[in-house]
């Protein structure tokens, strides 16, 4: 293709070179507006094109993140504008003694474990199912994305009915297999059950999405790897764990990081699972209040933005640490090449 | 299956084609799916679709049907009745919220496509001082979870006087690092350098090159980015709740959460509203499913 274009391109270059010399000719110091425009276009237009991103990001992305640190060190209450000034580390000190914070951290971690591990395991299995020669291949792939396009607000409301104590479908199904029975499970009464209910919503939402990420990686595994495996006599299940998983390890690490970042900012599900959602308490005694939810409550219900900002920073650090640990763990478990 | 494999390949049959056939050493994607695979996939589909179906069932039922044991799984005939109740609730502004969601999602999507393709084009095909560093900066910003700056963002919006207006949810999403990065990758791979150069030699301006060479080539990427952006913006909840909650201008997600608050929640109403707000996305998945799948498989990032 490039060879056929070579001739006209080079002749074009010659023509342009001529024009350029004409422009910088000492006898023609005064540039016409056309040349000015051309120079502006060549030199500055790229910056004009990328400027919107940097403008928006600096004002609404980077600045708030940095400013968040400043707010965390100040008294900043929406209900008492007169109370201002530096608070020093008071907000952070309050954090360490705050039972609500530790409870929310515990909940967030519990829900994260119950959602991320099954989520990624099921995604692997769904991906390996999709990674066959299928009839109507596109439709299967589109089908697993149904949860992905469904608003979490909408699906959480469905699951909220699903997990209701008296007439919920979850209890009915469990009753069929002999669990619960006379005493139906009250999904909103204790931590473990609430966590399971919320984790179910998260799993439902993200399995298909992660499966497609894995599928993409699986399809780029060189075919001869499987030829070699067949010689060793590996069946499909062993093939998945011994060949496919180690080969797609970078993507697995990527999804682990994604689900850590997402899981630790879990907000919609715990908010709307609550029968009294506007309170943002995550259950009568904070059974399933997550950190993101607590930040919302502290900031916009208790109107203490300074403390909410400090909590955001703490969450940021926690996410960094957990994502780091998870990356190391995943590297170990999925047995990829050491790097 | 493995019984065949145990025999060591005789040196006579080393042509890779015959070996593959003999040893079943086919890659999974070359292996036709068996009935078991189809059954498992069908089960997966059932799980994926059931909550949506059940949302519709509840949205079309009356209160008695909801309290029934075993639960109803057949849609009722009260969808319009329930919907009418949702639309006539005074303090929820459901009809307005749908309009708001359309405005916000359309504006954000249009702006994203425009700004991200321009910036992506600049990074992919234009030479300018500092382009490498600036692109590195864009990539680094991908790792910043902006939700963590939400408190300060609220204060910034307060200073601008935008809290409680649609501007607060539109403007921060006008152009994102991911969009720029995605468009850049696509343009690098699809628009040939020679084509841009020869247009340059013919005296085409930057915008002219964008319009007549880049834009026609990146239509598939625009479809992918547009669909993903629209879905993500439509479904966004946390920031819209913070800035628009309690005002007369909610997005549909905020309005649904309003429906779902209070001491006694009427689920057939909530889910009638939720179902209406889900329909546009289901239509998009139906029409643009192929593009959405491609976008995700090419490495789209969770919003």
């Amino acid at each position: 293709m490039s060879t056929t274009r070579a001739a006209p391109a080079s002749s074009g270059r010659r023509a342009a070179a001529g024009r350029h010399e004409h422009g910088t000719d000492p006898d023609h110091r005064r540039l016409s507006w056309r040349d000015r425009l051309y120079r502006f276009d060549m030199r500055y237009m790229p910056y004009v094109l990328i400027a919107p991103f940097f403008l928006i990001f600096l004002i609404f992305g980077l600045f708030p993140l940095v400013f968040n640190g400043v707010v965390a060190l100040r008294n900043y209450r929406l209900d008492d504008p007169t109370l201002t000034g530096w608070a020093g580390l008071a907000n952070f000190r309050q954090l360490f003694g705050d039972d609500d914070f530790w409870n929310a951290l515990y909940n967030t971690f519990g829900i994260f474990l119950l959602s991320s591990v099954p989520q990624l395991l099921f995604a692997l299995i769904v991906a390996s199912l999709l990674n066959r020669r299928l009839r109507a291949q596109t439709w299967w792939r589109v089908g697993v994305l149904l949860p992905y396009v469904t608003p979490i607000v909408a699906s959480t409301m469905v699951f909220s009915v699903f997990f209701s104590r008296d007439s919920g479908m979850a209890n009915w199904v469990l009753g069929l297999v002999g669990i619960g029975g006379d005493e139906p499970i009250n999904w909103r009464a204790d931590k473990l059950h609430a966590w399971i209910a919320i984790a179910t919503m998260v799993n439902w939402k993200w399995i298909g999405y992660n499966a497609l990420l894995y599928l993409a990686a699986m399809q780029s595994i060189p075919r001869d790897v499987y030829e070699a495996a067949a010689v060793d006599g590996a069946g499909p299940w062993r093939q998945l764990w011994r060949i496919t998983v180690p080969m797609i390890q970078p993507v697995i690490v990527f999804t682990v990081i994604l689900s850590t970042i997402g899981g630790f900012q879990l907000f919609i599900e715990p908010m709307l699972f609550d029968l009294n959602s506007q309170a943002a308490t995550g259950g009568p005694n904070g059974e399933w209040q997550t950190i993101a939810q607590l930040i919302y409550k502290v900031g916009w219900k208790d109107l203490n933005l300074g403390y909410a900002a400090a909590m955001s920073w703490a969450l940021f650090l926690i996410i960094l640490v957990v994502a780091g640990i998870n990356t190391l763990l995943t590297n170990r478990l999925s047995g990829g090449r050491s790097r | 299956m493995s019984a065949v494999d145990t025999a060591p390949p005789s040196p006579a049959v080393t042509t890779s084609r015959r070996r593959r056939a003999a040893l079943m050493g086919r890659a999974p994607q070359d292996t036709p799916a068996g009935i078991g695979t189809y059954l498992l996939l069908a089960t997966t589909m059932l799980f994926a679709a059931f909550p949506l179906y059940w949302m519709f069932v509840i949205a079309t039922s009356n209160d008695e049907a909801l309290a029934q044991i075993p639960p109803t799984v057949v849609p009722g005939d009260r969808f319009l009745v329930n919907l009418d109740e949702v639309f006539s609730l005074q303090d929820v502004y459901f009809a307005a919220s749908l309009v708001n969601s359309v405005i916000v999602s359309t504006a954000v999507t249009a702006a994203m496509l425009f700004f991200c393709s321009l910036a992506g084009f600049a990074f992919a095909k234009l030479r300018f001082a500092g382009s490498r560093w600036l692109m590195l900066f864009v990539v680094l910003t991908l790792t910043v979870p902006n939700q963590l700056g939400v408190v300060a963002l609220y204060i910034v919006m307060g200073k601008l006087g935008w809290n409680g207006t649609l501007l607060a949810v539109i403007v921060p999403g006008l152009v994102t690092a991911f969009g720029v990065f995605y468009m850049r990758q696509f343009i690098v791979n699809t628009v040939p350098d020679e084509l841009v150069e020869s247009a340059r030699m013919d005296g085409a301006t930057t915008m002219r090159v964008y319009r007549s060479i880049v834009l026609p080539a990146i239509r598939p990427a625009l479809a992918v980015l547009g669909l993903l952006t629209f879905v993500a913006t439509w479904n966004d909840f946390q920031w819209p709740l913070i800035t628009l909650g309690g005002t007369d201008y909610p997005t549909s997600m905020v309005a649904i959460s309003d429906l779902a608050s209070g001491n006694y929640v009427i689920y057939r109403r909530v889910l009638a509203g939720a179902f209406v707000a889900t329909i546009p996305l289901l239509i998009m998945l139906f029409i643009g499913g192929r593009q959405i799948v491609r976008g995700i498989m090419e490495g789209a990032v969770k919003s």
Side-chain angles (χ1 to χ4, degrees):
Chain A
M1 187 172 198
S2 57
T3 47
T4 54
R5 279 228 174 74
S10 62
S11 70
R13 192 169 297 136
R14 232 172 287 128
R19 197 181 309 147
H20 194 67
E21 272 163 31
H22 169 78
T24 51
D25 189 0
D27 295 333
H28 295 82
R29 274 277 156 77
R30 278 176 56 227
L31 301 165
S32 71
W33 67 270
R34 225 197 155 84
D35 287 328
R36 274 166 200 267
L37 207 66
Y38 182 74
R39 277 183 56 170
F40 175 84
D41 189 57
M42 288 304 278
R43 243 194 230 169
Y44 301 111
M45 202 55 189
Y47 297 104
V48 175
L49 300 188
I50 63 172
F53 166 75
F54 286 93
L55 209 66
I56 296 284
F57 177 74
L58 289 182
I59 300 175
F60 300 106
L62 192 61
F63 176 70
L65 213 62
V66 176
F67 186 45
N68 204 54
V70 178
V71 177
L73 298 173
R74 291 183 72 91
N75 294 309
Y76 204 120
R77 296 194 63 103
L78 287 172
D79 54 348
D80 185 2
T82 57
L83 180 70
T84 54
W86 294 97
L89 293 173
N91 285 323
F92 289 98
R93 233 174 281 131
Q94 186 183 351
L95 194 71
F96 282 104
D98 190 344
D99 289 342
D100 284 355
F101 177 74
W102 295 109
N103 173 59
L105 184 60
Y106 180 50
N107 289 337
T108 307
F109 204 78
I111 296 171
F112 169 71
L113 278 185
L114 289 176
S115 57
S116 61
V117 177
Q119 182 192 138
L120 299 182
L121 285 179
F122 274 111
L124 263 178
I125 293 170
V126 172
S128 67
L129 292 174
L130 289 171
N131 194 23
R132 294 276 159 161
R133 218 171 69 214
L134 288 166
R135 284 162 194 279
Q137 167 184 278
T138 307
W139 285 106
W140 293 110
R141 292 180 184 177
V142 171
V144 298
L145 282 187
L146 271 173
Y148 175 75
V149 299
T150 306
I152 305 183
V153 170
S155 59
T156 302
M157 293 318 298
V158 177
F159 279 107
S160 206
V161 183
F162 189 81
F163 286 110
S164 73
R165 192 192 61 186
D166 296 323
S167 56
M169 190 168 279
N171 278 341
W172 177 71
V173 172
L174 288 176
L176 290 184
V177 296
I179 303 173
D182 301 330
E183 220 162 293
I185 298 169
N186 186 351
W187 296 93
R188 290 177 174 86
D190 64 278
K191 277 189 188 298
L192 185 63
H193 287 108
W195 290 359
I196 292 174
I198 290 169
T200 306
M201 305 175 201
V202 180
N203 288 326
W204 179 79
K205 170 88 182 174
W206 295 111
I207 285 174
Y209 173 86
N210 284 304
L212 286 189
L213 290 185
Y214 291 155
L215 177 64
M218 285 176 183
Q219 302 213 319
S220 63
I221 298 175
R223 286 179 154 79
D224 51 6
V225 174
Y226 288 102
E227 285 173 28
V231 178
D232 300 341
W237 188 250
R238 258 189 62 167
Q239 218 177 40
L240 174 65
W241 292 106
R242 288 292 174 79
I243 304 170
T244 311
V245 169
M247 289 295 286
I248 65 169
Q249 190 224 22
V251 179
I252 295 183
V253 172
F254 175 69
T255 56
V256 167
I257 294 173
L258 273 190
S259 62
T260 308
I261 294 173
F264 272 77
Q265 298 184 78
L266 201 64
F267 180 75
I268 308 179
E269 292 92 340
M271 274 294 277
L272 295 179
F273 183 58
D274 206 329
L275 293 176
N276 183 16
S277 58
Q278 291 292 325
T281 52
N285 299 305
E287 282 84 353
W288 64 88
Q289 187 182 49
T290 60
I291 300 184
Q293 208 182 351
L294 181 61
I295 291 173
Y296 174 75
K297 179 179 171 288
V298 167
W300 287 275
K301 298 293 161 182
D302 306 344
L303 304 175
N304 191 349
L305 287 186
Y307 189 33
M311 228 176 244
S312 304
W313 267 103
L315 179 57
F316 182 56
L317 291 180
I318 292 166
I319 290 177
L320 273 186
V321 171
V322 177
I325 293 173
N326 286 346
T327 306
L328 288 178
L329 275 179
T330 318
N331 270 326
R332 273 288 156 74
L333 289 177
S334 58
R337 300 138 290 177
S338 56
R339 13 181 101 198
Chain B
M1 181 190 263
S2 54
V4 193
D5 307 343
T6 47
S10 76
V13 252
T14 41
T15 49
S16 79
R17 222 233 220 112
R18 288 180 65 182
R19 198 178 68 184
R20 211 183 298 161
L23 297 178
M24 304 270 302
R26 277 184 293 197
Q29 60 263 44
D30 300 327
T31 314
I35 184 78
T37 305
Y38 280 110
L39 279 177
L40 286 172
L41 273 178
T43 316
T44 310
M45 290 303 139
L46 202 70
F47 275 107
F50 184 74
L52 284 165
Y53 173 73
W54 212 39
M55 174 163 34
F56 182 67
V57 171
I58 299 169
T60 54
S61 302
N62 52 24
D63 289 325
E64 290 80 59
L66 252 180
Q68 230 167 269
I69 293 265
T72 6
V73 284
V74 188
D77 55 358
R78 291 176 47 96
F79 183 56
L80 292 179
V81 180
N82 293 336
L83 204 58
D84 188 50
E85 286 181 33
V86 174
F87 277 116
S88 49
L89 283 173
Q90 286 300 316
D91 45 356
V92 172
Y93 311 102
F94 191 68
S97 81
L98 287 173
V99 176
N100 289 340
S101 278
V102 171
I103 293 173
V104 170
S105 306
T106 313
V108 168
T109 306
M112 268 284 278
L113 295 183
F114 183 65
F115 291 127
C116 292
S117 62
L118 281 176
F121 163 53
F123 279 123
K125 295 291 160 183
L126 303 180
R127 257 168 268 144
F128 55 99
S131 68
R132 263 166 194 247
W133 289 106
L134 290 169
M135 188 62 216
L136 186 69
F137 182 78
V138 173
V139 173
L140 283 179
T141 64
L142 276 172
T143 58
V144 175
N146 358 2
Q147 252 160 318
L148 296 174
V150 106
V151 172
L153 184 62
Y154 182 79
I155 295 172
V156 171
M157 289 296 178
K159 299 271 186 239
L160 292 170
W162 288 358
N163 275 322
T165 72
L166 295 187
L167 279 177
V169 285
I170 292 175
V171 178
L174 288 181
V175 42
T176 65
F178 168 69
V180 174
F181 179 70
Y182 181 74
M183 293 314 291
R184 179 196 172 264
Q185 295 306 91
F186 193 88
I187 294 170
V188 162
N189 293 327
T190 52
V191 180
D193 279 338
E194 310 92 73
L195 207 58
V196 175
E197 248 167 64
S198 68
R200 278 291 199 201
M201 296 312 145
D202 294 341
T205 61
T206 306
M207 286 313 282
R208 180 71 213 240
V209 173
Y210 171 76
R211 241 183 304 128
S212 45
I213 296 176
V214 177
L215 212 48
I218 61 172
R219 287 222 180 103
L222 290 177
V224 168
L225 187 64
L227 284 163
L228 292 175
T229 304
F230 192 95
V231 171
T233 312
W234 184 276
N235 290 348
D236 198 12
F237 179 66
Q238 188 173 7
W239 172 241
L241 174 72
I242 289 172
T243 185
L244 302 178
T247 69
D248 302 356
Y249 304 99
T251 59
S252 58
M253 293 302 128
V254 176
I256 292 168
S257 80
D258 282 342
L259 280 173
S261 66
N263 290 328
Y264 179 61
V265 180
I266 302 166
Y267 282 104
R268 58 188 169 76
R269 278 185 193 166
V270 181
L271 291 170
F275 188 72
V276 170
T278 308
I279 289 175
L281 304 179
L282 293 181
I283 294 173
M284 292 198 131
L285 184 68
F286 188 75
I287 297 172
R290 198 179 286 266
Q291 278 78 17
I292 297 179
V293 166
R294 228 190 60 195
I296 291 171
M297 288 182 65
E298 278 170 357
V301 173
K302 196 186 272 191
S303 53

